[in-house]
Amino acid sequence: MINFYQFIPEIFILALILLTLCFGLFNKDRSIAINAVGFFILTLILINFGKDFYISTDLSLNTINLFVLSKIILSIGSIVFILLSKRPLKNENLYRYEYILFILFAILGSFVLISSDNFLTAFIGLELQSLSLYLMAAFNTKNLKSNEAGIKYFSLGALSSGFLLFGISMIYYDTGSFYMQNLNNFTTISEIGLSLVLISLFFKVSAAPFHIWTPDVYEGSPTISTLFFASLPKFASLIFLFRVYQELNISGIQSLNYIFQIVCAISLLVGVYGAITQKVIKRLLAFSSINHIGFMLLGIMSYQFMSEGTLFFYLIIYLITTFGIFAVLLNLRTVDGEFTKISQLNGLRFTSNSKSISMLVFFFSLAGIPPFAGFFAKFFILSASITDGFFFLSIVAVLSSVIAAFYYLTIIKNMFFNKSEIELLDDNNKIGKVIFISFGLIITLFFFYPDPLINLVDNLFK
Amino acid sequence: MFSYKLLFFLPLISTIFTYPFGVLLGDKTAQYFSSTLISIAAILSWFLFISFSMSPSPEIIIPVLEWFLVSGQFFNWGISVNSLTLLMLTLVLTVSALVHIYSIEYMAHDNSKVRFMTYLSLFTFCMVALVVSDNLIQLFFGWEGVGLASYLLIGFWHHKKSANLAAMKAFLVNRVADFGFLIGIATLYIFLDTLSINEIIEGKEELLNYDINFLGFNINALVFSCFFLFIGAMGKSAQFGFHTWLPDAMEGPTPVSALIHAATMVTAGVFLTVRFSELMVMSDFIMTFVLIIGLLTAFFAASVGFFQKDIKKVIAYSTCSQLGFMFVACGLGAFNIAIFHLITHGYFKALLFLSSGSVIHGVHDEQDMDKMGNLFPKMKITAVMMWIGTLAIIGFPYSSGYFSKDLILSSSFNLNSFGPLVYLILAIVSAMTAFYSFRLIFKVFHGKYNGSYDYEKIHESGPFMLAPLLLLSIGAIFAGYFLNDLLAGYNSKNFWNGMIFLYQDKNYYSSFFPILSKSLVATGVAFAVYYYGFNLNKLADLKKRFYSIYNFILNKWYFDELYNKIFVLPLYNLGKFLWTRIDQGIIDKYLPNGSASIVSTISKAFKRIQTGYIFDYTFIIISGFTLFISIIFYISVT
């Protein structure tokens, strides 16, 4: 007998999808409002009853907490994203209700992925998520680059799905089961199978050397889609990666452990070295996200001896910062259309104080400069990894953030001290403005009032 | 209690709010605001002082604020109310208030007068914090704070290169001395485990039990700490060896020179020595050292003052010399007389400086005395004020200098064997002082005008500048008369109330000695009148005959050159070597530039990987896969 009780969040999203399908035809604006309200209700439900959904299952309390917290974060992120997406879509003449549907499908896929306990469900969740993402990348059908990005993302994504399926079948061949908890004794075959699964997950979170699609797709897609790729689905995949690492006890398997460490180190380095020469802001953010994925992998690896939820903390701060940066970018437009080049940020201070100062806060936070929250995120990860004995990786991480500070600070310097070369149009998007200012405040005020966030992360892991 | 706290906080309020007021309400408002606050504090300080001196009470310590806690010890802001601090407060706040008022007019043409007022108030706050401190940490805060304010004010006209250099010099020289001061504080803390001044003085006997091994010598802890405290005092009070910054500090605006470099900050060293008098007197070595340094400074500065051309530098050297007098008094054990001279000197030296500021203002920022002369008809009030100040400094009977200086001279008989020698040197220095002081008067106010500025345009200063002069002249004339009995008379013991060390017995004193010193002073005056008043041509003749001595004195005994040779040049060369050879040649070339070039090379390589073709991307993913498989096989095989 299947217990449907635990699928309530997913069923809720499915209901939203159906509702949007019905309403979207008649009224696009309303579908945005409906979804925002819907996710708000979902958030409330998850906060209040989230743990009850899983109580009848035999999951450990820790896992339940993980599910609930990540689903809460996903649905809050969805509210912010849906509210933010309206104006940029209208600007690009892309304002169609299908886009909202893709978001919903991707979120549904993410929900399924997060709480799946066998590889087949995970595959379905991942594919549901990815297919929506391919479409979102190619959503601007009149733009050649957007089409190219969609095609690239799709074909490379297909490759990675192939790896995933092949990996799953190898594991099935070896153990006769799709369930993660049945995977106890690793033979070489199942190690290979698991490594193939990992490759696919690394691909999704764009960890090097499987990051290769990221810059092109980020650059080509409409900026609003880029924000989506960089934030919520990546978050979900990372949570699943975290679960795989935890539940299959990968730290106990020497070879996979090496693989994790190598991927972490390469991600850290590729992220910074790739970013330095970039001229396009979205490519730079793509590489910067690769560097941050390196940090998160370090957090995943060093998690098991620390119970403070350093990884979650890092993820939340990273999400807030990413949303903030993209909210600023989406609020800026050039005469020719979307804002692309870094040099177009020059002299932003003279046009808009709130944007330049928010950007300053976000980039300082990404660079890990105190007193912004990003500093603490990095600090917690590093101290956890040093406690766990990952000295080499910690050194690499610190060095990489030294190099990373260079390009973050260059952008800030250009914003504050260079003359502007091009006239920027202010999109005057009220919602965007509220988002980046409030997120900037969160990042700043964390230093003075860290308790809420730390308590949130702490309590959910006790 | 509240009124004492008010004394502490009024200057602070002025420091904090003057600048915002200046920005919001205009320069004038800010100037009046800060002057008013400081004046209120000054008047209040007089009330408190008078009521205290009527009925002296033992020391009271008023806690103000908790500051910090280190290893179980609290360090607090506190106000110590006693005779010494109240006396100092009246001087500091009075002169500061008058200088604030004076600056309203003096700085009228300056663009950043609000900044100037802010610095003045900052200085006043730090000085008050220094004076009222009951522990060495707060004292050190004030000590450094006045140093900072002095630095900021010397370099106030930062567009002038010489001003910047002078500010830097003052700061650096003081840094050396302050390091000594810190060593002294640290020594006291190590051995007594406290920084409260009272507890240190109580624990003085305990200090005698410890020895410190310093460079192979065993030195008593008391001597060691006193020595280094005195080094700090020497730096702040520009004593022999550390004096080089004071004349250069005259680059600052003249009100600053009057307040900081004459009346108050430079006397902080004397204050410190007197505050620790109970400790100092326990070691004969320290007392002798203080005495010798004082004598050297007094003589040296007076000699250099002979031929200076800059009107402010003459007064600066005379300040230096008078500080020497105060230290001589300390070295002789007459601490109350040192403080007495400190107070009277504060008034008449501030008067001299502010008068010279009035002169400089009148002749349009000319400081060279050779380009002045016969200014008396043009600025009568200023000239009279300058005369009063000069008479006070040479110790004209019943002026304030007469009382305090004569007492220093007479207390030289506290020493039994070398007393007469000390007396003789002091008398000669007094004569020298008289000589150069009158030289200044004659060169500036009498004789014939030699300047390039239009004589007709020279004008007397306005009321804001003259009023402080008049008030200060009251101090310069009467301060000695009124304070004599209180500070140095038979009843002074009641007033001091054990705050400072006092000799039990009065010294013997015959009538021959005042006559000797006064006649020497009169001779000095006569020489000045003779050479600078009437026979200017004979002067050149004299200069030619004693050319080498003249040159030696004119070049300030070649101190700056000596310091350049010994300290500055070797350090400069070492720094240059480290900079060009080690830093630029090796470290910069290989480490930062080298790593930066590595970074850019690697990032170019990464850029090349990002071709944009799907087959290349696939290849990279497949090679990643290959790498993983190889690792798994490698590990399963081994």
Side-chain angles (χ1 to χ4, degrees):
Chain A
M1 178 65 199
I2 301 167
N3 184 1
F4 278 103
Y5 197 49
Q6 55 177 308
F7 296 126
I8 283 178
E10 285 81 6
I11 292 170
F12 190 93
I13 296 177
L14 210 55
L16 273 181
I17 290 172
L18 293 174
L19 209 61
T20 314
L21 267 174
C22 298
F23 264 97
L25 280 174
F26 312 115
N27 194 333
K28 284 182 278 189
D29 284 329
R30 194 150 299 166
S31 68
I32 281 192
I34 286 173
N35 282 299
V37 172
F39 274 110
F40 185 67
I41 294 168
L42 179 60
T43 314
L44 290 181
I45 291 174
L46 281 168
I47 289 174
N48 287 320
F49 311 109
K51 288 184 186 175
D52 304 340
F53 298 149
Y54 303 101
I55 233 145
S56 56
T57 58
D58 52 355
L59 295 168
S60 71
L61 192 63
N62 226 343
T63 321
I64 293 175
N65 282 333
L66 179 71
F67 290 177
V68 175
L69 180 60
S70 23
K71 283 178 183 177
I72 290 172
I73 291 170
L74 272 179
S75 66
I76 292 175
S78 311
I79 300 172
V80 176
F81 183 77
I82 288 170
L83 288 176
L84 192 62
S85 64
K86 182 177 165 187
R87 190 62 175 259
L89 288 174
K90 270 192 176 161
N91 284 336
E92 296 291 308
N93 288 328
L94 299 175
Y95 189 47
R96 279 170 238 140
Y97 80 101
E98 290 92 330
Y99 197 81
I100 314 283
L101 278 180
F102 298 154
I103 299 172
L104 289 169
F105 276 118
I107 297 291
L108 178 61
S110 306
F111 269 51
V112 171
L113 176 64
I114 283 174
S115 52
S116 58
D117 64 342
N118 75 50
F119 285 117
L120 268 188
T121 348
F123 174 75
I124 290 167
L126 209 56
E127 281 310 296
L128 190 56
Q129 188 200 68
S130 304
L131 281 168
S132 319
L133 297 189
Y134 307 147
L135 289 163
M136 283 168 88
F139 201 67
N140 194 352
T141 42
K142 287 175 191 133
N143 185 330
L144 212 59
K145 278 209 156 181
S146 175
N147 283 319
E148 186 194 329
I151 297 280
K152 265 183 195 165
Y153 198 5
F154 174 67
S155 33
L156 292 171
L159 181 69
S160 103
S161 297
F163 276 124
L164 179 60
L165 271 183
F166 191 49
I168 292 171
S169 54
M170 279 180 97
I171 292 170
Y172 185 72
Y173 166 78
D174 199 44
T175 62
S177 164
F178 292 122
Y179 285 88
M180 279 204 267
Q181 64 259 38
N182 293 351
L183 197 58
N184 295 323
N185 302 317
F186 283 92
T187 59
T188 311
I189 302 270
S190 57
E191 271 178 34
I192 291 173
L194 200 52
S195 80
L196 292 176
V197 172
L198 286 179
I199 284 175
S200 170
L201 287 173
F202 286 146
F203 177 87
K204 290 289 181 250
V205 300
S206 72
F210 311 103
H211 68 286
I212 201 83
W213 56 277
T214 325
D216 290 2
V217 172
Y218 271 34
E219 190 192 354
S221 317
T223 309
I224 186 74
S225 305
T226 313
L227 167 59
F228 196 66
F229 304 157
S231 53
L232 301 177
K234 204 175 252 186
F235 171 79
S237 312
L238 208 78
I239 297 295
F240 186 67
L241 188 60
F242 171 66
R243 285 190 54 213
V244 170
Y245 191 86
Q246 287 287 298
E247 288 173 22
L248 300 184
N249 200 11
I250 284 182
S251 57
I253 309 164
Q254 206 184 2
S255 53
L256 295 180
N257 211 2
Y258 277 133
I259 286 173
F260 249 90
Q261 294 192 23
I262 287 169
V263 169
C264 174
I266 298 179
S267 300
L268 286 168
L269 293 174
V270 165
V272 289
Y273 282 119
I276 280 184
T277 47
Q278 296 308 325
K279 304 259 182 323
V280 178
I281 185 93
K282 279 195 276 180
R283 286 184 85 89
L284 183 129
L285 288 171
F287 279 110
S288 137
S289 83
I290 295 165
N291 175 245
H292 285 280
I293 287 295
F295 263 98
M296 292 170 200
L297 290 179
L298 192 56
I300 289 178
M301 281 187 284
S302 47
Y303 178 79
Q304 56 187 3
F305 300 118
M306 298 279 287
S307 57
E308 281 89 350
T310 50
L311 172 72
F312 250 85
F313 185 70
Y314 196 98
L315 273 169
I316 291 170
I317 298 297
Y318 177 74
L319 280 181
I320 291 174
T321 323
T322 312
F323 267 110
I325 289 176
F326 275 94
V328 176
L329 293 182
L330 288 167
N331 243 10
L332 290 169
R333 293 179 60 77
T334 62
V335 188
D336 311 326
E338 281 203 319
F339 169 90
T340 47
K341 292 222 172 61
I342 294 174
S343 59
Q344 289 169 347
L345 276 173
N346 285 2
L348 184 64
R349 176 170 73 103
F350 304 106
T351 40
S352 167
N353 262 331
S354 60
K355 289 191 193 91
S356 56
I357 290 172
S358 309
M359 282 294 249
L360 173 110
V361 169
F362 296 133
F363 280 120
F364 268 161
S365 177
L366 281 186
I369 290 168
F372 302 106
F375 165 75
F376 295 96
K378 278 190 179 171
F379 174 75
F380 291 152
I381 293 257
L382 284 173
S383 63
S385 67
I386 287 169
T387 325
D388 284 10
F390 293 106
F391 295 116
F392 177 72
L393 284 177
S394 308
I395 291 168
V396 172
V398 169
L399 287 180
S400 79
S401 49
V402 169
I403 303 173
F406 166 75
Y407 50 79
Y408 295 136
L409 293 180
T410 312
I411 295 176
I412 291 167
K413 188 209 109 198
N414 291 347
M415 281 195 309
F416 278 82
F417 300 112
N418 284 15
K419 284 254 161 59
S420 54
E421 297 163 359
I422 188 168
E423 197 190 348
L424 286 174
L425 304 177
D426 194 339
D427 199 29
N428 217 2
N429 181 356
K430 287 274 158 28
I431 297 170
K433 203 164 186 176
V434 167
I435 287 170
F436 68 72
I437 289 177
S438 56
F439 282 11
L441 279 178
I442 292 173
I443 297 287
T444 320
L445 290 180
F446 173 78
F447 176 70
F448 303 101
Y449 194 55
D451 301 357
L453 198 50
I454 287 183
N455 283 345
L456 174 79
V457 176
D458 239 20
N459 288 337
L460 281 157
F461 283 91
K462 263 181 192 143
Chain B
M1 297 302 118
F2 176 71
S3 46
Y4 290 107
K5 284 188 184 172
L6 211 56
L7 281 190
F8 192 75
F9 281 114
L10 278 175
L12 181 62
I13 293 168
S14 171
T15 312
I16 295 171
F17 290 108
T18 301
Y19 202 84
F21 277 22
V23 174
L24 296 176
L25 305 173
D27 293 356
K28 268 269 173 312
T29 323
Q31 283 181 318
Y32 288 132
F33 170 73
S34 63
S35 307
T36 315
L37 286 190
I38 305 289
S39 304
I40 292 171
I43 293 166
L44 190 62
S45 75
W46 275 103
F47 275 115
L48 294 173
F49 171 67
I50 289 169
S51 68
F52 183 90
S53 58
M54 294 288 179
S55 56
S57 61
E59 183 181 21
I60 316 164
I61 290 173
I62 306 169
V64 178
L65 208 66
E66 273 182 15
W67 193 3
F68 60 89
L69 169 77
V70 174
S71 62
Q73 273 212 320
F74 277 104
F75 293 98
N76 298 331
W77 296 91
I79 300 176
S80 152
V81 179
N82 58 51
S83 41
L84 183 60
T85 56
L86 276 174
L87 198 57
M88 285 296 286
L89 278 180
T90 53
L91 174 74
V92 169
L93 288 168
T94 311
V95 177
S96 173
L98 294 177
V99 165
H100 270 78
I101 294 165
Y102 184 91
S103 313
I104 294 177
E105 189 180 327
Y106 191 85
M107 302 301 283
H109 305 299
D110 203 280
N111 287 329
S112 38
K113 25 186 177 287
V114 182
R115 182 162 61 96
F116 184 74
M117 296 311 255
T118 308
Y119 288 168
L120 279 186
S121 296
L122 170 69
F123 167 78
T124 313
F125 168 66
C126 293
M127 191 71 199
V128 170
L130 189 164
V131 167
V132 301
S133 166
D134 67 327
N135 62 62
L136 275 171
I137 289 289
Q138 186 188 336
L139 199 148
F140 191 71
F141 164 82
W143 193 267
E144 294 298 307
V146 291
L148 170 71
S150 155
Y151 167 79
L152 291 171
L153 284 165
I154 295 170
F156 183 74
W157 286 316
H158 47 70
H159 46 86
K160 268 165 67 180
K161 197 183 173 206
S162 56
N164 282 332
L165 287 177
M168 196 123 65
K169 188 172 176 184
F171 207 67
L172 287 177
V173 172
N174 270 304
R175 220 39 26 346
V176 177
D178 289 350
F179 187 62
F181 188 29
L182 264 183
I183 293 176
I185 294 177
T187 319
L188 288 173
Y189 186 72
I190 289 168
F191 288 109
L192 296 178
D193 206 30
T194 175
L195 285 175
S196 152
I197 295 174
N198 285 341
E199 286 173 27
I200 288 170
I201 289 172
E202 277 163 23
K204 59 186 173 175
E205 303 287 343
E206 203 182 320
L207 269 182
L208 282 174
N209 303 334
Y210 301 108
D211 276 345
I212 294 173
N213 193 314
F214 183 71
L215 302 176
F217 296 99
N218 268 335
I219 303 171
N220 188 278
L222 180 96
V223 177
F224 188 83
S225 53
C226 282
F227 180 79
F228 279 105
L229 287 183
F230 183 64
I231 293 285
M234 278 172 73
K236 197 108 293 186
S237 291
Q239 290 302 290
F240 192 77
F242 289 103
H243 64 276
T244 49
W245 66 272
L246 185 58
D248 287 18
M250 297 301 130
E251 285 291 342
T254 312
V256 172
S257 313
L259 176 62
I260 301 185
H261 306 119
T264 55
M265 184 189 85
V266 287
T267 59
V270 182
F271 172 77
L272 181 76
T273 316
V274 175
R275 195 89 168 83
F276 285 92
S277 52
E278 299 274 3
L279 254 65
M280 299 276 178
V281 288
M282 293 181 71
S283 154
D284 284 343
F285 167 74
I286 292 294
M287 293 300 273
T288 319
F289 184 68
V290 173
L291 177 66
I292 289 171
I293 290 291
L295 278 176
L296 263 176
T297 314
F299 180 75
F300 156 78
S303 76
V304 177
F306 263 33
F307 299 118
Q308 290 299 313
K309 290 201 172 81
D310 188 320
I311 180 168
K312 285 176 73 182
K313 284 202 172 162
V314 175
I315 311 180
Y317 277 110
S318 99
T319 306
C320 206
S321 169
Q322 296 302 312
L323 288 167
F325 268 81
M326 295 173 208
F327 276 112
V328 169
C330 291
L332 294 167
F335 293 100
N336 54 337
I337 292 166
I339 285 292
F340 185 23
H341 194 55
L342 191 163
I343 302 290
T344 55
H345 169 259
Y347 290 121
F348 64 67
K349 190 50 62 71
L351 176 64
L352 282 172
F353 259 118
L354 291 184
S355 308
S356 77
S358 175
V359 170
I360 293 166
H361 201 62
V363 297
H364 210 82
D365 295 339
E366 181 58 71
Q367 300 196 10
D368 192 343
M369 288 199 295
D370 284 346
K371 294 185 179 156
M372 297 177 188
N374 200 20
L375 297 181
F376 186 75
K378 284 286 172 190
M379 31 178 72
K380 291 207 172 74
I381 303 177
T382 307
V384 170
M385 293 301 135
M386 195 71 129
W387 267 91
I388 292 174
T390 308
L391 288 178
I393 200 177
I394 67 167
F396 190 79
Y398 298 102
S399 67
S400 54
Y402 168 75
F403 291 97
S404 53
K405 216 169 173 182
D406 253 28
L407 279 169
I408 294 178
L409 286 166
S410 64
S411 54
S412 58
F413 293 100
N414 285 347
L415 282 183
N416 290 328
S417 44
F418 289 102
L421 180 65
V422 172
Y423 181 87
L424 199 65
I425 296 173
L426 288 181
I428 290 170
V429 173
S430 303
M432 289 156 82
T433 311
F435 175 77
Y436 66 70
S437 301
F438 269 91
R439 170 176 172 266
L440 186 149
I441 290 273
F442 280 102
K443 278 189 91 119
V444 174
F445 291 108
H446 304 285
K448 127 171 160 277
Y449 183 66
N450 304 318
S452 48
Y453 186 65
D454 188 359
Y455 186 68
E456 295 307 317
K457 280 191 191 159
I458 296 171
H459 59 88
E460 180 63 286
S461 308
F464 278 105
M465 284 167 72
L466 290 180
L469 291 184
L470 291 171
L471 286 170
L472 280 172
S473 73
I474 296 173
I477 299 170
F478 297 112
Y481 183 76
F482 285 116
L483 292 175
N484 186 24
D485 203 43
L486 189 65
L487 302 186
Y490 287 103
N491 294 325
S492 57
K493 220 169 165 187
N494 285 335
F495 176 72
W496 290 114
N497 220 326
M499 268 313 293
I500 64 172
F501 177 83
L502 283 178
Y503 263 117
Q504 301 298 326
D505 45 345
K506 278 297 270 188
N507 39 58
Y508 49 88
Y509 194 40
S510 82
S511 60
F512 165 71
F513 291 108
I515 293 173
L516 175 65
S517 73
K518 284 300 156 218
S519 51
L520 274 172
V521 167
T523 324
V525 175
F527 265 108
V529 174
Y530 179 73
Y531 281 117
Y532 289 95
F534 302 106
N535 296 302
L536 282 165
N537 47 342
K538 285 201 179 161
L539 198 66
D541 196 40
L542 209 65
K543 270 182 197 169
K544 220 171 272 168
R545 201 181 302 164
F546 296 106
Y547 186 73
S548 55
I549 297 176
Y550 171 72
N551 225 7
F552 182 64
I553 289 175
L554 191 67
N555 284 305
K556 304 165 254 174
W557 294 24
Y558 293 103
F559 252 99
D560 282 340
E561 286 75 6
L562 193 71
Y563 280 1
N564 254 350
K565 276 258 159 57
I566 298 177
F567 299 118
V568 181
L569 271 182
L571 273 178
Y572 179 80
N573 287 336
L574 178 68
K576 201 169 174 186
F577 170 75
L578 289 176
W579 172 44
T580 52
R581 291 285 148 77
I582 306 286
D583 194 41
Q584 287 190 332
I586 297 173
I587 296 175
D588 270 5
K589 193 171 170 188
Y590 294 104
L591 290 174
N593 295 344
S595 55
S597 68
I598 289 173
V599 167
S600 69
T601 320
I602 294 178
S603 54
K604 270 175 203 145
F606 273 116
K607 205 177 179 184
R608 223 168 291 138
I609 294 172
Q610 214 77 36
T611 53
Y613 294 115
I614 291 181
F615 47 84
D616 283 341
Y617 289 1
T618 317
F619 170 72
I620 287 165
I621 291 176
I622 299 289
S623 39
F625 163 70
T626 322
L627 176 73
F628 285 10
I629 300 294
S630 330
I631 289 172
I632 292 170
F633 274 118
Y634 177 76
I635 284 175
S636 68
V637 165
T638 51

